[in-house]
Amino acid sequence: MRKMSVLHPCPTWLTVQMYYSLPPFLPPSLPPREVIPMSSPVIAPCLGVTDTDVTVAFYEKLGFTALPGNDDPDDDLRVLLFEGRFALMVHRAEHLRKWLPVHKDTPVGAFGMFYLGVEDFDAYVERIRPLVDVIKETAVGGREILYFTDPDGYVIGVNQRQEGE
């Protein structure tokens, strides 16, 4: 896949969705690009990270696919897919803080967690266990969950995807 530009430095789902999957909204002056079908999630997380390249490399080792970024050094927004579906966006913290000054004092890896539903929990956990720092393993309502942290301290809980998810 080749490098692509986003419409504008705004790290929002709408910008990404418009650029990657809704060609009628694009002005003719934008370069051609591949259309990657994605549906809008209810919430689209955009995480502020210390080093976008390090974060992307970490998630790629765990089976995520990073859509190409652009050539603008002040806009390193990256979209990550899991099993071909939108998962999250990552953006260098300093760039995100410029875009949304309300985050100027918010530390990277802020409090909270995210869940990743996988097709085969046991196989996925076996594959990623040597690549991550496991912080907790538990079961809730018979559903196993493995928690780990990414390079910036964000907590990810892996669980078995349920039918219809």
Side-chain angles (χ1 to χ4, degrees):
M1 216 178 253
R2 62 185 173 70
K3 291 277 187 186
M4 301 179 203
S5 297
V6 292
L7 294 176
H8 157 301
C10 171
T12 65
W13 176 249
L14 181 59
T15 301
V16 172
Q17 184 184 37
M18 285 173 60
Y19 188 79
Y20 288 106
S21 63
L22 300 174
F25 292 103
L26 296 174
S29 61
L30 286 176
R33 82 265 177 240
E34 294 178 43
V35 174
I36 300 167
M38 288 189 275
S39 60
S40 299
V42 174
I43 293 180
C46 181
L47 307 181
V49 299
T50 305
D51 184 318
T52 306
D53 293 334
V54 168
T55 300
V56 166
F58 173 80
Y59 281 101
E60 286 179 331
K61 286 191 292 187
L62 303 183
F64 288 73
T65 302
L67 296 182
N70 64 46
D71 297 325
D72 182 349
D74 292 324
D75 180 22
D76 66 346
L77 175 71
R78 297 296 299 274
V79 175
L80 298 172
L81 308 178
F82 188 77
E83 296 177 351
R85 295 165 47 183
F86 174 83
L88 67 139
M89 294 175 280
V90 295
H91 205 260
R92 183 164 293 142
E94 67 185 82
H95 299 162
L96 192 53
R97 287 182 181 115
K98 280 186 216 172
W99 177 248
L100 291 171
V102 69
H103 287 303
K104 69 180 169 71
D105 297 321
T106 304
V108 171
F111 187 82
M113 66 189 125
F114 300 91
Y115 287 93
L116 172 65
V118 298
E119 287 291 325
D120 184 338
F121 176 84
D122 293 328
Y124 187 73
V125 166
E126 181 179 330
R127 186 171 78 72
I128 71 164
R129 189 180 294 279
L131 305 171
V132 300
D133 293 323
V134 175
I135 58 171
K136 182 176 183 172
E137 293 181 67
T138 189
V140 177
R143 196 173 187 178
E144 292 181 84
I145 306 170
L146 176 128
Y147 292 95
F148 65 89
T149 55
D150 79 357
D152 287 295
Y154 290 104
V155 176
I156 311 294
V158 177
N159 59 30
Q160 179 74 39
R161 187 176 309 135
Q162 300 298 305
E163 289 298 318
E165 289 182 343

